[in-house]
Amino acid sequence: MMAMSCSTVGQRISEWAVATPDAPAIQSLGDMLSYAVLQRRVARLARWMIGRGVDRGDIVALDMERSAELVIAMLATWRIGAAFLPLDRAWPTMRRDTILADARPALVVSTVFEEHWVDAGHDLPAISSPSDLAYVLYTSGSTGVPKGVMVEQSQLLNYVRAATEALRLEENRRWGLLGSLAADLGYTALFGGLFNGACIVIAAANEVEDGGGFARFVSNYDIDAVKIVPSHLDALLECDGAALPGKVILGGEATPRALLDRIMKIAPGCQVFNHYGPTETTVGVMVHEVDLQAERDMGLPLTRVLSNCTLEVLDDERHAVPAGALGEVHVGGAQVCRGYLHGRNPEAFRFDPDRPGERLYRTGDLAYRLPDGGIRLAGRIDQQVKIRGFRVELAEIEAALLAHGDVRQAAVIFRPGAVTELVAFVVADVSGGAEETRQRLREALSASLPAYMVPSMFCFAERLPRLPNGKIDRVALADIRAQSARSPGSNTTRDCVEFVVMHFMAEVLKREALEPQDDFFDLGGHSLLAIKLVARIQKRLGVAIPPATLFDRSTPAALTAAVRGACADVANLELRADGWCRQLEESHESAQSADLTEIVA
């Protein structure tokens, strides 16, 4: 293991290219890049960027899919002292354009062609310094405008060094890179792996959209570590033959007990870590190694603060709370970012009264201080929530709703649980019908917000409840008996196959019952639940369909037709469905009998 004498993560990667030039660095779609080849391509692409006018201190926007070329482009910006701004191809055009207009990058790179790195000259020397910007990431904004978080090279270096120690990253030689690099969840694997001379294996889209694909990815590429959002992992384990690497780092949202139980059953020897930290504090600042045998009864704690970081739980008077008390999490130390681009929201940062010259970041996260000095997270102090690992300001969704011509008032609430739901309460012109209005609002939001920020349900009301101070009473919103946007349907199904498909859909949505024309996405469904649903259909009915089918066939009736169309043996399908119908009827009768016995007693 090389001594950690580098001043930036990029310099450390360059050192590996000298020490172990032939070691695998990036594997993507069957292609392998060694550390030496990676560095040559990084240097040559950096020269190409310089030729396009990029200078030290500039921002380079990367509008690219998750790929080896994207990693090369990220590292190339550092070779000239610039910072990268990753964009997500799944973003609506309006959001992408808003971010580009705000960031004003010196260059937008959408494709890396081979000629970009053909250069007869010598490799470009690394010139990034610890105080240079490493990257800018945009998070959801409470004012309705996304804001860019500026992270410096020294802050990223401290994270990678400290995480290496706390998470034992040097043990792992083949990291699976699973998610979008427009959020920093994957930076533990990407930069943690490269910092330690490991190989980063970039998963193709079909390798992370269902459990079977993920199991083959882990097995075929000998993956020994991943960083992943709990809800995504839960969906990927919904299959026969589910597989896990030796180390799993969970972050981005709370981990349910059911997931830990499933990990314990599939791979009891798996090393599981809980990981926490806002983007403003550089990927993460607290970790906890999970004991799968003993820690499955309540929310996972966080017990270890990363080196050179501080974490305080403070009350409203900015005093540290005692053990067992609730307060707001404040983070200080070496990983607090430079701030927001263009000086936005300076009130989010305050100077630490106990450490002159150092700043504290007010996370907005609530936590209980534990007797051992650790914390247990307990939600948000404001309207910010985590949805499938993405940080979301409910105010941004409300601002998008209020920008629509039909809407006079709007409030969005978050309903956490097995099915994550955003519910929009709207005072609007519904003269054309609630269903038509709902569709217009959904289309308008989908044009400006990522899919995970579009509410799954719209409720219309004549007015929104208010507190005495005039603010919206969000607690009372759940009691509104408003007209919902649910489509009417039949109370009966045509056959056992449809009945069983409808039951499976109700299971994953945590609904008591559905109707044939109910829409999966209107009732809270999303891509991760789609993975779970098709896995359940394959396991119990023996018919394999891709999760993307649900985007076109999102009702039980339509999905049943798709299942029939994908089945080579319809007679066997109907036999299986008939067996499930009988089993479900028997379960229902047993439950009714138990209820009656309880009433009589």
Side-chain angles (χ1 to χ4, degrees), residues 118-132:
V118 174
D119 187 339
H122 297 291
D123 280 353
L124 190 73
I127 66 168
S128 285
S129 70
S131 61
D132 285 333

Side-chain angles (χ1 to χ4, degrees), residues 406 408-410 424-430 434 458-465 477 479-484:
D406 290 340
R408 298 191 300 275
Q409 299 176 41
F425 292 86
V426 182
V427 177
D429 177 8
V430 292
F458 292 81
C459 294
F460 298 102
E462 292 183 3
R463 63 182 182 278
L464 299 183
L477 285 176
D479 296 327
I480 290 182
R481 298 295 184 260
Q483 178 184 5
S484 79

